[in-house]
Amino acid sequence: MERKLIAIDLDGTTLNAAAQLSPKTKTVLAQARQAGHIVSIVTGRPNRISEGIYDELKLDGPMINFNGSLGHIPHHHWQGEYQYTINKEVAYDLLQHREELGIDMIAAEGKNMFLAVRDHPVEVGFFPPVLKSNQILNQKTLQENPTSLTVAVERSHQEHLLSYLKHNFGDVIDAAPWGGPNSVVELGVKGVQKATGVEVLAHHFHVERKNIVAFGDEHNDSAMIDYAGWGVAMQNATPTIKGLANDITPLDNDHDGLANYLQDYLKLAE
């Protein structure tokens, strides 16, 4: 079998419902690498909350964060590192209009940046419940262009926010609502998606597109699933992702769906 580049989403795909790696997942991904294949994390998560998983899997190649906007090798300098950023004026504008837009929280992030502001208590995964004094987002503290902006908005205001963003910044950013219970909109550089990062990885490892295998479950995986030579949707994936994929795992992310599928696909020993 030709060497494969295996691009894995984290939440809802590689991780179970408790956001953990199962023993079987770790074993199978290690076996895949021992067989000569490449395993790369391609996630919407910031690097600050995915490097621990990268280390747990004992990976040593590039990782893609922020839905394709950051490519880097954790703990190491990489000549191919890249980072797409949003003009900080977008954040300034949202800060100025957050009351009329019904915004409860804005977080600005980058490889080495985390700043946020909350007008109301809001429970959103991935963000610390208490902000330190040096993590408060305002025009004074935000001196660099962020890689990602995450906005928690009142559910009744989400469509208005999306319309506002499209009208004012639609030529420079993409705005994507999260799935799930939280009313959250994620902003990234226009046209930059997970497929952007997968293409960088393919060039870095000299892997042809036909030998890219990508796993995902949510809307932010769509470009990656479509780009890959073999796109695989999780059993728990959205109908849209299942419709784009070449195949669907028989089991979901809570029952080692990715691990079992890879074991069969790569013909790895049980």
Side-chain angles (χ1 to χ4, degrees), residues 161-190:
L161 172 65
L162 290 170
S163 176
Y164 179 87
L165 291 168
K166 183 176 181 179
H167 177 75
N168 291 281
F169 307 111
D171 57 337
V172 293
I173 64 165
D174 285 326
W178 282 6
N182 294 312
S183 180
V184 175
V185 177
E186 194 165 351
L187 280 56
V189 174
K190 191 169 187 68

Side-chain angles (χ1 to χ4, degrees), residues 95-110:
L95 284 168
Q96 185 179 348
H97 295 99
R98 64 184 189 269
E99 186 173 346
E100 65 191 80
L101 292 171
I103 293 172
D104 291 327
M105 184 202 75
I106 306 173
E109 297 204 58

Side-chain angles (χ1 to χ4, degrees), residues 81-157:
E81 181 171 316
Y82 73 88
Q83 187 168 200
Y84 290 97
T85 58
I86 301 167
N87 191 311
K88 58 183 181 291
E89 295 294 334
V90 177
Y92 295 164
D93 182 271
L94 293 176
L95 284 168
Q96 185 179 348
H97 295 99
R98 64 184 189 269
E99 186 173 346
E100 65 191 80
L101 292 171
I103 293 172
D104 291 327
M105 184 202 75
I106 306 173
E109 297 204 58
K111 184 186 179 187
N112 300 305
M113 174 201 304
F114 175 80
L115 297 168
V117 62
R118 287 191 182 94
D119 284 344
H120 309 286
V122 58
E123 290 296 326
V124 177
F126 306 159
F127 299 108
V130 178
L131 295 171
K132 299 175 184 176
S133 59
N134 63 350
Q135 293 178 323
I136 304 300
L137 173 64
N138 54 48
Q139 289 198 24
K140 190 173 181 180
T141 57
L142 184 61
Q143 294 299 306
E144 301 174 30
N145 290 334
T147 298
S148 172
L149 291 172
T150 306
V151 182
V153 60
E154 295 170 26
R155 179 70 67 182
S156 60
H157 285 65

Side-chain angles (χ1 to χ4, degrees), residues 2-16:
E2 291 185 88
R3 183 175 69 153
K4 305 295 184 183
L5 168 59
I6 303 161
I8 55 173
D9 168 55
L10 290 181
D11 296 282
T13 301
T14 307
L15 303 179
N16 60 24

Side-chain angles (χ1 to χ4, degrees), residues 1-70:
M1 179 180 287
E2 291 185 88
R3 183 175 69 153
K4 305 295 184 183
L5 168 59
I6 303 161
I8 55 173
D9 168 55
L10 290 181
D11 296 282
T13 301
T14 307
L15 303 179
N16 60 24
Q20 295 176 338
L21 292 165
S22 73
K24 180 160 188 176
T25 296
K26 289 190 280 189
T27 297
V28 170
L29 290 177
Q31 287 177 328
R33 296 180 67 221
Q34 288 162 9
H37 304 293
I38 302 150
V39 175
S40 293
I41 291 171
V42 183
T43 179
R45 285 187 178 213
N47 51 300
R48 65 182 171 85
I49 53 168
S50 51
E51 287 183 1
I53 299 162
Y54 176 96
D55 292 341
E56 196 174 349
L57 289 173
K58 297 181 171 58
L59 302 181
D60 53 16
M63 175 167 67
I64 307 299
N65 291 103
F66 296 114
N67 290 318
S69 287
L70 171 65

